[in-house]
Amino acid sequence: MKWQRLLGCAMAVTLAAGTIAGCGSQDDGGEDVQSSAPVEEENGGGQEQESGVESSETEQTGGSKYQTTYGSKQFDDVTITVEIFDRSNAPEGSSVLDNKWVDYVNREMNKVGITVEFVAVPRSDEVQKMQAMMASQTAPDITITYTYAYAQDFFSQGGIWDLTDFIAGDDQVKNLKAYLGEETMDIGKMSTGEYYGVVARRATQAQTNLFVRKDWLDEAGLSIPETPDELFDTISELIANHPDGATDVIGISFFVATNLANEVAYKNNIEMAFSQLASDPKEMDIASGYEYYYDPGCREYYRFINKCYNAGLMDKEYYTGTTDTYNSDIVNGKIAFFESEVNYSVDPLRGYIFQTLKENDPDAELVSIPNLHNVNDGKQYSAAYCPGDLVAFCPLTASEEKVEACMTYLDWLATKEGGHVLYHGFEGEHYEMNEDGVPVVKDASYNSTDKDWLRTDIFLVGNSGYFATVDEFNACTAAEIPGWEEYVIENYTNSLSGTVVPASSYQAPSSSDLGTDLGLLCSDYLTQCITCPEDEFDGIYDEFITKCEEAGIQKIIDERTEYFNTVYGE
């Protein structure tokens, strides 16, 4: 069944949760990975959808106990609480709890008798805060997390609602189903079929980019590298004979793989160039989150990083770096090649890295490149996010009526009047539609202080925006960065070059108990593997594997193998 297959996809990337891996592959550059049907086609969209809501009461009579499609039921002044991340980025005069968009939400929800009270949670410690609220039974009626394992554990322990009766009926959450699509909806199911939550749909599954200083390559007469060996040789030559004569240049930064807390084994695009399992979807699903143990190619990936470290191509104290020092090194022209989050080079949320670099060095040219060819089969593979993003669930402390109202609110977020407005704003004020029907920003600086600071966090059922297709997302995102459109399109295209291998979310029963210890082992041993002399690498990696086995990793692998044998019908 499709839901069983897609339960192998997810976005959680913490080792403690034991997530990250690939589930299946596609050769289309990522465009068909998003399978959700456009709301406009199934639901009317725009103003037509609003008029449909008014007449839907007679339609919504499919025998369901609950009516959760927006407009199908008039509630009796129900107030629901909804978690929202606070990034401490509100413009002067506003707060995450008091702004025009919160007012807009309630103006629309009051039409059906629902009031929404937001509960602010600092983004920096949302997991700890969520766990504390759940333990004290003070969690909001809609609670959110990026780590599916937590929500699944809460469900298994009887701490959150089974949402099946609020979702499964043909007349229920019709807008939500049309926007998310069956695949994303089914990620919110337990392996036994119950809905434990509602998973947001990613507008794109692009995850990381490989970036290089092309102006340096051109000055040195070097070509864009296409394989790991070419990358090593090219950057080695570039650093040895730097066109500017600089001596403090960092050849390669693996910051995205080695410096993020609890993400040292984070599957990324360079790692995919070493994977020995990349062409086998089932094996990638089993390996998910545990590639360092299960995929022999992961050892070779870390051997490659060790080689770069010992060759002087990396910062010798890379492990002390922070995001601020990393960005500073890039904009000050100290890094020749690095892998980072998709579109990192020009993204306003990342600090306009390339734009700032150009201010410091007008001749600089920082470009993304296609993914490297795999050392085993010569093919390109891209590590991608799964179709789902964060998951919203309802603690058992919420009443039955509140849960019904919560699902109605999430359904409204999937409409044009809901999510589209919250993300894009109002036509004529924040954007104009171009000839292709794509919203084009009118004034980026105005939008940044009026809505953009909040839009990604208030739109709970979508990641990276309200879009029907990946192409629409790419075009709109490019239009939001005037003058850099070509770079944006190229970044998203290169990120998904080759066969797309989405991440997996299946949680082995033992992963929640064993994940923390395994994460600590990774943090310790993989740093040693990177910084040790080359002739000591295998000995340390072997010791690392032994320690993982002592910590119980084989039990997780056995559980994952059994599960995916069933999924793949074996």
Side-chain angles (χ1 to χ4, degrees):
M1 294 178 65
K2 186 180 288 185
W3 69 264
Q4 289 179 310
R5 178 70 182 88
L6 258 290
L7 255 171
C9 289
M11 74 306 162
V13 294
T14 55
L15 278 173
T19 57
I20 314 224
C23 74
S25 61
Q26 302 191 28
D27 293 307
D28 55 8
E31 293 196 8
D32 291 335
V33 177
Q34 298 289 352
S35 61
S36 301
V39 173
E40 295 93 327
E41 296 176 5
E42 292 192 26
N43 232 16
Q47 297 303 313
E48 295 177 7
Q49 196 275 334
E50 184 175 40
S51 63
V53 166
E54 294 174 359
S55 63
S56 62
E57 193 146 7
T58 57
E59 301 172 9
Q60 307 285 333
T61 57
S64 301
K65 179 180 179 181
Y66 308 107
Q67 295 300 320
T68 51
T69 296
Y70 178 77
S72 65
K73 174 178 178 176
Q74 188 67 31
F75 289 82
D76 186 16
D77 296 326
V78 176
T79 296
I80 61 172
T81 53
V82 177
E83 181 179 354
I84 188 169
F85 291 146
D86 186 354
R87 301 176 189 270
S88 301
N89 62 344
E92 186 175 355
S94 293
S95 74
V96 72
L97 301 180
D98 183 13
N99 56 76
K100 65 185 287 185
W101 303 105
V102 168
D103 293 341
Y104 176 76
V105 165
N106 278 298
R107 192 159 62 245
E108 296 299 303
M109 295 308 297
N110 286 169
K111 293 177 181 178
V112 294
I114 298 172
T115 296
V116 179
E117 290 184 358
F118 289 98
V119 178
V121 172
R123 177 67 180 93
S124 57
D125 63 350
E126 54 97 2
V127 172
Q128 294 84 350
K129 181 67 173 177
M130 176 202 66
Q131 292 173 324
M133 291 189 299
M134 287 295 295
S136 63
Q137 297 189 327
T138 59
D141 301 323
I142 294 180
T143 297
I144 56 178
T145 182
Y146 285 103
T147 309
Y148 298 167
Y150 296 136
Q152 292 171 355
D153 283 348
F154 291 143
F155 182 90
S156 298
Q157 295 165 11
I160 66 177
W161 277 86
D162 178 349
L163 300 175
T164 306
D165 288 342
F166 300 88
I167 292 176
D170 291 340
D171 57 348
Q172 295 174 318
V173 290
K174 294 176 71 173
N175 298 299
L176 190 66
K177 290 172 180 174
Y179 181 71
L180 297 185
E182 183 181 356
E183 292 179 338
T184 305
M185 286 293 300
D186 285 348
I187 298 172
K189 286 183 178 180
M190 298 293 290
S191 59
T192 46
E194 305 95 335
Y195 283 102
Y196 71 90
V198 173
V199 173
R201 176 169 73 86
R202 288 187 177 275
T204 179
Q205 291 175 249
Q207 181 172 285
T208 66
N209 275 129
L210 311 183
F211 294 102
V212 67
R213 283 293 300 269
K214 189 174 184 301
D215 56 313
W216 291 355
L217 296 183
D218 291 344
E219 290 176 43
L222 299 171
S223 302
I224 296 292
E226 296 183 359
T227 68
D229 284 344
E230 288 182 11
L231 173 63
F232 181 85
D233 292 342
T234 297
I235 300 303
S236 295
E237 184 175 346
L238 183 63
I239 298 307
N241 302 286
H242 192 273
D244 297 335
T247 58
D248 61 345
V249 174
I250 298 169
I252 300 179
S253 172
F254 295 92
F255 186 86
V256 72
T258 58
N259 288 65
L260 300 181
N262 294 325
E263 294 178 17
V264 287
Y266 181 35
K267 180 168 67 68
N268 53 59
N269 281 334
I270 297 183
E271 182 187 342
M272 293 301 293
F274 292 90
S275 173
Q276 294 183 23
L277 307 178
S279 63
D280 188 327
K282 176 186 171 183
E283 287 295 285
M284 289 301 291
D285 277 339
I286 294 172
S288 179
Y290 306 95
E291 289 87 356
Y292 56 89
Y293 177 78
Y294 192 78
D295 186 344
C298 198
R299 176 191 288 250
E300 301 313 307
Y301 167 60
Y302 281 99
R303 189 192 305 279
F304 179 76
I305 300 179
N306 171 269
K307 178 181 177 181
C308 292
Y309 184 87
N310 282 294
L313 301 185
M314 294 171 60
D315 180 352
K316 286 297 183 182
E317 297 184 352
Y318 74 86
Y319 43 81
T320 66
T322 65
T323 300
D324 287 342
T325 58
Y326 173 58
N327 289 343
S328 177
D329 286 342
I330 298 172
V331 301
N332 287 303
K334 292 186 176 181
I335 300 181
F337 177 94
F338 62 96
E339 179 172 11
S340 205
E341 289 85 348
V342 63
N343 204 40
Y344 199 90
S345 58
V346 296
D347 188 351
L349 294 179
R350 307 294 181 184
Y352 291 108
I353 299 299
F354 187 14
Q355 294 90 323
T356 304
L357 172 62
K358 291 285 279 186
E359 292 175 3
N360 295 332
D361 181 359
D363 295 326
E365 190 69 10
L366 180 65
V367 303
S368 64
I369 65 174
N371 295 324
L372 302 176
H373 292 263
N374 185 278
V375 299
N376 303 294
D377 63 13
K379 297 180 180 180
Q380 288 176 305
Y381 298 95
S382 60
Y385 288 118
C386 114
D389 188 55
L390 64 75
V391 60
F393 59 90
C394 295
L396 212 58
T397 48
S399 69
E400 185 177 41
E401 185 180 35
K402 285 181 182 288
V403 176
E404 186 176 18
C406 287
M407 293 302 104
T408 301
Y409 174 59
L410 295 181
D411 184 75
W412 173 76
L413 285 176
T415 67
K416 285 274 187 155
E417 291 72 29
H420 189 278
V421 170
L422 291 177
Y423 191 84
H424 296 289
F426 298 107
E427 186 172 4
E429 178 183 356
H430 301 95
Y431 68 89
E432 298 289 358
M433 286 290 191
N434 68 11
E435 63 275 9
D436 297 319
V438 174
V440 178
V441 170
K442 291 187 64 176
D443 185 340
S445 60
Y446 171 73
N447 287 1
S448 66
T449 57
D450 187 69
K451 68 175 182 66
D452 291 357
W453 63 277
L454 183 68
R455 65 179 182 174
T456 58
D457 293 320
I458 200 168
F459 180 42
L460 291 183
V461 300
N463 173 278
S464 299
Y466 186 104
F467 298 99
T469 66
V470 174
D471 286 341
E472 183 180 311
F473 164 81
N474 289 347
C476 183
T477 302
E480 289 189 338
I481 313 178
W484 304 89
E485 295 91 342
E486 180 181 342
Y487 290 93
V488 175
I489 296 297
E490 189 173 70
N491 287 346
Y492 281 101
T493 300
N494 285 334
S495 176
L496 295 173
S497 55
T499 299
V500 178
V501 183
S504 167
S505 74
Y506 167 69
Q507 300 299 308
S510 300
S511 62
S512 59
D513 292 332
L514 304 176
T516 299
D517 288 343
L518 290 171
L520 291 173
L521 286 172
C522 284
S523 181
D524 181 16
Y525 274 94
L526 291 179
T527 300
Q528 292 185 50
C529 288
I530 291 171
T531 59
C532 70
E534 290 187 61
D535 60 359
E536 296 180 13
F537 175 85
D538 280 312
I540 295 175
Y541 208 98
D542 288 342
E543 183 177 337
F544 167 52
I545 295 300
T546 298
K547 292 292 185 181
C548 288
E549 290 172 342
E550 292 173 354
I553 195 171
Q554 188 59 48
K555 184 176 182 180
I556 294 176
I557 296 300
D558 290 344
E559 291 170 348
R560 297 187 68 84
T561 301
E562 180 180 2
Y563 174 77
F564 285 109
N565 279 342
T566 301
V567 169
Y568 285 86
E570 299 179 10

